[in-house]
CSV table of all heavy atoms in Angstrom, one decimal:
chain,number,residue,atom,x,y,z
A,172,GLN,N,0.8,-1.2,0.0
A,172,GLN,CA,0.0,0.0,0.0
A,172,GLN,C,0.9,1.3,-0.1
A,172,GLN,O,0.7,2.2,0.8
A,172,GLN,CB,-0.9,0.0,1.2
A,172,GLN,CG,-1.9,-1.2,1.2
A,172,GLN,CD,-2.8,-1.4,2.5
A,172,GLN,OE1,-3.1,-2.5,2.8
A,172,GLN,NE2,-3.0,-0.3,3.1
A,173,ILE,N,1.9,1.3,-0.9
A,173,ILE,CA,2.7,2.5,-1.0
A,173,ILE,C,2.0,3.7,-1.6
A,173,ILE,O,1.2,3.6,-2.8
A,173,ILE,CB,3.9,2.2,-1.9
A,173,ILE,CG1,4.8,1.2,-1.1
A,173,ILE,CG2,4.8,3.5,-2.2
A,173,ILE,CD1,6.1,0.8,-1.9
A,174,THR,N,2.0,4.8,-0.9
A,174,THR,CA,1.3,6.0,-1.6
A,174,THR,C,2.3,7.2,-1.5
A,174,THR,O,3.5,7.0,-1.0
A,174,THR,CB,0.1,6.3,-0.8
A,174,THR,OG1,0.6,6.8,0.7
A,174,THR,CG2,-0.9,5.4,-0.6
A,175,GLY,N,2.1,8.3,-2.0
A,175,GLY,CA,2.8,9.5,-2.0
A,175,GLY,C,2.9,10.1,-0.6
A,175,GLY,O,2.2,9.6,0.3
A,176,PRO,N,3.8,11.1,-0.3
A,176,PRO,CA,4.0,11.6,0.9
A,176,PRO,C,2.8,12.2,1.4
A,176,PRO,O,2.1,13.0,0.7
A,176,PRO,CB,5.1,12.6,0.8
A,176,PRO,CG,5.2,13.0,-0.5
A,176,PRO,CD,4.8,11.6,-1.3
A,177,ARG,N,2.5,12.2,2.8
A,177,ARG,CA,1.4,12.9,3.4
A,177,ARG,C,1.8,14.4,3.5
A,177,ARG,O,2.8,14.7,4.0
A,177,ARG,CB,1.1,12.2,4.8
A,177,ARG,CG,0.6,10.9,4.6
A,177,ARG,CD,-0.1,10.5,6.1
A,177,ARG,NE,0.5,10.9,7.2
A,177,ARG,CZ,0.0,10.6,8.4
A,177,ARG,NH1,-1.1,10.1,8.6
A,177,ARG,NH2,0.8,10.9,9.6
A,178,GLU,N,0.8,15.2,3.0
A,178,GLU,CA,1.0,16.6,3.0
A,178,GLU,C,0.8,17.1,4.5
A,178,GLU,O,1.3,18.2,4.9
A,178,GLU,CB,0.1,17.3,2.1
A,178,GLU,CG,0.5,17.1,0.6
A,178,GLU,CD,1.7,17.7,0.1
A,178,GLU,OE1,2.1,18.7,0.7
A,178,GLU,OE2,2.2,17.3,-0.9
A,179,LYS,N,-0.2,16.6,5.1
A,179,LYS,CA,-0.7,17.0,6.5
A,179,LYS,C,-0.9,15.8,7.4
A,179,LYS,O,-1.1,14.8,7.1
A,179,LYS,CB,-2.0,17.8,6.3
A,179,LYS,CG,-1.9,19.1,5.5
A,179,LYS,CD,-3.1,19.9,5.5
A,179,LYS,CE,-3.0,21.2,4.7
A,179,LYS,NZ,-4.3,22.0,4.8
A,180,THR,N,-0.4,16.1,8.6
A,180,THR,CA,-0.7,15.2,9.6
A,180,THR,C,-0.8,15.8,11.0
A,180,THR,O,-0.8,17.1,11.1
A,180,THR,CB,0.5,14.1,9.7
A,180,THR,OG1,0.1,13.1,10.6
A,180,THR,CG2,1.8,14.7,10.0
A,181,GLY,N,-0.9,15.1,12.1
A,181,GLY,CA,-1.1,15.7,13.4
A,181,GLY,C,0.2,16.2,14.0
A,181,GLY,O,1.0,16.8,13.2
A,182,SER,N,0.5,15.8,15.2
A,182,SER,CA,1.5,16.4,15.9
A,182,SER,C,2.5,15.4,16.5
A,182,SER,O,1.9,14.2,16.9
A,182,SER,CB,1.2,17.3,17.1
A,182,SER,OG,0.4,18.4,16.6
A,183,THR,N,3.8,15.5,16.5
A,183,THR,CA,4.7,14.4,17.0
A,183,THR,C,6.0,15.0,17.7
A,183,THR,O,6.3,16.1,17.1
A,183,THR,CB,5.1,13.4,16.0
A,183,THR,OG1,6.0,12.5,16.5
A,183,THR,CG2,5.7,14.0,14.7
A,184,ASP,N,6.5,14.5,18.7
A,184,ASP,CA,7.7,15.1,19.2
A,184,ASP,C,8.9,14.8,18.4
A,184,ASP,O,10.0,15.3,18.7
A,184,ASP,CB,7.9,14.6,20.6
A,184,ASP,CG,7.8,13.2,21.0
A,184,ASP,OD1,7.7,12.3,19.9
A,184,ASP,OD2,7.8,12.6,22.0
A,185,LEU,N,8.8,14.0,17.4
A,185,LEU,CA,9.8,13.8,16.3
A,185,LEU,C,10.1,15.0,15.8
A,185,LEU,O,11.3,15.4,15.3
A,185,LEU,CB,9.5,12.7,15.4
A,185,LEU,CG,10.5,12.4,14.2
A,185,LEU,CD1,11.7,11.9,14.8
A,185,LEU,CD2,10.0,11.4,13.3
A,186,GLY,N,9.0,15.9,15.5
A,186,GLY,CA,9.3,17.2,15.0
A,186,GLY,C,10.3,18.0,15.7
A,186,GLY,O,11.1,18.7,15.0
A,187,ASN,N,10.5,18.0,17.0
A,187,ASN,CA,11.4,18.6,17.8
A,187,ASN,C,12.9,18.0,17.5
A,187,ASN,O,13.8,18.8,17.5
A,187,ASN,CB,11.2,18.6,19.3
A,187,ASN,CG,9.8,19.3,19.7
A,187,ASN,OD1,8.8,18.9,19.2
A,187,ASN,ND2,9.9,20.2,20.5
A,188,VAL,N,12.9,16.8,17.3
A,188,VAL,CA,14.2,16.1,17.1
A,188,VAL,C,14.8,16.6,15.8
A,188,VAL,O,16.0,16.8,15.5
A,188,VAL,CB,14.1,14.6,17.1
A,188,VAL,CG1,15.5,14.0,16.8
A,188,VAL,CG2,13.7,14.2,18.6
A,189,MET,N,13.8,16.9,14.7
A,189,MET,CA,14.2,17.2,13.5
A,189,MET,C,14.7,18.7,13.4
A,189,MET,O,15.1,19.1,12.2
A,189,MET,CB,13.0,17.0,12.4
A,189,MET,CG,12.8,15.4,12.3
A,189,MET,SD,11.2,15.1,11.4
A,189,MET,CE,11.4,15.7,9.8
A,190,TYR,N,14.8,19.4,14.5
A,190,TYR,CA,15.5,20.6,14.6
A,190,TYR,C,16.8,20.4,14.9
A,190,TYR,O,17.6,21.4,15.0
A,190,TYR,CB,14.8,21.6,15.6
A,190,TYR,CG,13.4,22.3,14.9
A,190,TYR,CD1,12.4,21.6,14.8
A,190,TYR,CD2,13.5,23.7,14.6
A,190,TYR,CE1,11.3,22.1,14.3
A,190,TYR,CE2,12.3,24.3,14.1
A,190,TYR,CZ,11.3,23.4,13.9
A,190,TYR,OH,10.1,24.1,13.4
A,191,GLU,N,17.3,19.2,15.4
A,191,GLU,CA,18.5,18.8,15.8
A,191,GLU,C,19.4,18.2,14.6
A,191,GLU,O,20.5,18.6,14.5
A,191,GLU,CB,18.6,17.8,17.0
A,191,GLU,CG,19.7,17.5,17.7
A,191,GLU,CD,20.2,18.6,18.7
A,191,GLU,OE1,19.4,19.1,19.5
A,191,GLU,OE2,21.4,18.9,18.6
A,192,VAL,N,18.7,17.2,14.0
A,192,VAL,CA,19.3,16.5,12.8
A,192,VAL,C,18.3,16.2,11.7
A,192,VAL,O,17.1,16.2,12.1
A,192,VAL,CB,19.9,15.1,13.4
A,192,VAL,CG1,21.2,15.4,14.4
A,192,VAL,CG2,18.8,14.2,14.1
A,193,PRO,N,18.6,15.8,10.6
A,193,PRO,CA,17.8,15.2,9.6
A,193,PRO,C,17.0,14.1,10.1
A,193,PRO,O,17.6,13.2,10.8
A,193,PRO,CB,18.5,15.0,8.5
A,193,PRO,CG,19.9,15.8,8.6
A,193,PRO,CD,20.1,15.8,10.0
A,194,GLY,N,15.7,14.0,9.8
A,194,GLY,CA,14.9,12.9,10.3
A,194,GLY,C,13.9,12.5,9.4
A,194,GLY,O,13.4,13.2,8.6
A,195,CYS,N,13.4,11.3,9.6
A,195,CYS,CA,12.2,10.7,8.9
A,195,CYS,C,11.6,9.6,9.5
A,195,CYS,O,12.3,8.8,10.2
A,195,CYS,CB,12.7,10.3,7.4
A,195,CYS,SG,11.4,9.8,6.4
A,196,CYS,N,10.3,9.4,9.4
A,196,CYS,CA,9.6,8.3,9.9
A,196,CYS,C,9.0,7.7,8.8
A,196,CYS,O,8.1,8.2,8.1
A,196,CYS,CB,8.5,8.7,11.0
A,196,CYS,SG,7.5,7.4,11.5
A,197,ILE,N,9.2,6.4,8.4
A,197,ILE,CA,8.6,5.6,7.6
A,197,ILE,C,7.3,4.9,8.1
A,197,ILE,O,7.3,4.2,9.2
A,197,ILE,CB,9.4,4.4,6.9
A,197,ILE,CG1,8.7,3.6,5.9
A,197,ILE,CG2,10.0,3.5,8.0
A,197,ILE,CD1,8.2,4.3,4.7
A,198,ARG,N,6.2,5.3,7.5
A,198,ARG,CA,4.8,4.5,8.0
A,198,ARG,C,4.7,3.4,7.0
A,198,ARG,O,4.7,3.5,5.9
A,198,ARG,CB,3.8,5.7,7.8
A,198,ARG,CG,4.0,6.9,8.6
A,198,ARG,CD,2.9,7.8,8.5
A,198,ARG,NE,3.1,9.1,9.4
A,198,ARG,CZ,2.9,9.1,10.7
A,198,ARG,NH1,2.2,8.1,11.3
A,198,ARG,NH2,3.2,10.2,11.4
A,199,THR,N,4.4,2.4,7.8
A,199,THR,CA,4.2,1.0,7.1
A,199,THR,C,2.7,0.5,7.3
A,199,THR,O,2.2,0.6,8.4
A,199,THR,CB,5.2,-0.1,7.7
A,199,THR,OG1,5.1,-0.2,9.0
A,199,THR,CG2,6.5,0.4,7.2
A,200,ALA,N,2.2,0.1,6.2
A,200,ALA,CA,0.7,-0.3,6.1
A,200,ALA,C,0.4,-1.5,7.0
A,200,ALA,O,1.1,-2.5,6.7
A,200,ALA,CB,0.3,-0.3,4.6
A,201,PHE,N,-0.7,-1.5,7.6
A,201,PHE,CA,-1.2,-2.8,8.3
A,201,PHE,C,-2.7,-2.7,8.4
A,201,PHE,O,-3.3,-3.6,8.8
A,201,PHE,CB,-0.4,-2.8,9.7
A,201,PHE,CG,-1.2,-2.1,10.8
A,201,PHE,CD1,-1.8,-2.8,11.9
A,201,PHE,CD2,-1.1,-0.7,10.8
A,201,PHE,CE1,-2.4,-2.0,12.8
A,201,PHE,CE2,-1.7,0.0,11.9
A,201,PHE,CZ,-2.3,-0.6,12.9
A,202,VAL,N,-3.4,-1.7,8.1
A,202,VAL,CA,-4.9,-1.5,8.1
A,202,VAL,C,-5.2,-1.0,6.7
A,202,VAL,O,-4.4,-0.5,6.0
A,202,VAL,CB,-5.4,-0.6,9.1
A,202,VAL,CG1,-5.2,-1.3,10.5
A,202,VAL,CG2,-4.6,0.6,9.2
A,203,PRO,N,-6.5,-1.2,6.3
A,203,PRO,CA,-6.9,-0.5,5.0
A,203,PRO,C,-6.7,1.0,4.9
A,203,PRO,O,-6.8,1.6,5.9
A,203,PRO,CB,-8.4,-0.9,4.9
A,203,PRO,CG,-8.5,-2.2,5.9
A,203,PRO,CD,-7.5,-1.9,6.9
A,204,GLU,N,-6.4,1.4,3.7
A,204,GLU,CA,-6.2,2.8,3.5
A,204,GLU,C,-7.5,3.8,4.0
A,204,GLU,O,-8.6,3.2,3.7
A,204,GLU,CB,-6.0,3.1,2.1
A,204,GLU,CG,-4.7,2.7,1.6
A,204,GLU,CD,-4.3,3.2,0.2
A,204,GLU,OE1,-4.5,4.3,-0.2
A,204,GLU,OE2,-3.7,2.4,-0.6
A,205,GLY,N,-7.3,4.8,4.7
A,205,GLY,CA,-8.4,5.7,5.2
A,205,GLY,C,-8.8,5.2,6.6
A,205,GLY,O,-9.5,6.0,7.3
A,206,THR,N,-8.2,4.2,7.2
A,206,THR,CA,-8.6,3.8,8.6
A,206,THR,C,-7.9,4.9,9.5
A,206,THR,O,-6.8,5.4,9.4
A,206,THR,CB,-8.0,2.5,8.9
A,206,THR,OG1,-8.4,1.6,8.0
A,206,THR,CG2,-8.3,2.0,10.4
A,207,ALA,N,-8.7,5.4,10.4
A,207,ALA,CA,-8.4,6.5,11.3
A,207,ALA,C,-7.5,5.8,12.4
A,207,ALA,O,-7.7,4.7,13.0
A,207,ALA,CB,-9.6,7.1,11.9
A,208,ALA,N,-6.4,6.6,12.8
A,208,ALA,CA,-5.5,6.3,14.0
A,208,ALA,C,-6.3,6.4,15.2
A,208,ALA,O,-7.3,7.2,15.3
A,208,ALA,CB,-4.4,7.0,13.9
């Protein structure tokens, strides 16, 4: 279920770490597309 990058999402403290170093989180599919977290 590979898709393009998400333009918008909620909040995460990884955002703070990405002011320290380059960072990225790979999201891997396990539920149908469109399923709410």
Side-chain angles (χ1 to χ4, degrees):
Q172 298 168 211
I173 294 177
T174 64
R177 297 199 308 175
E178 295 285 342
K179 295 183 177 182
T180 184
S182 307
T183 172
D184 52 7
L185 178 62
N187 295 58
V188 179
M189 290 168 67
Y190 283 71
E191 189 82 43
V192 293
C195 181
C196 176
I197 178 63
R198 299 183 180 272
T199 55
F201 82 114
V202 291
E204 290 188 42
T206 305

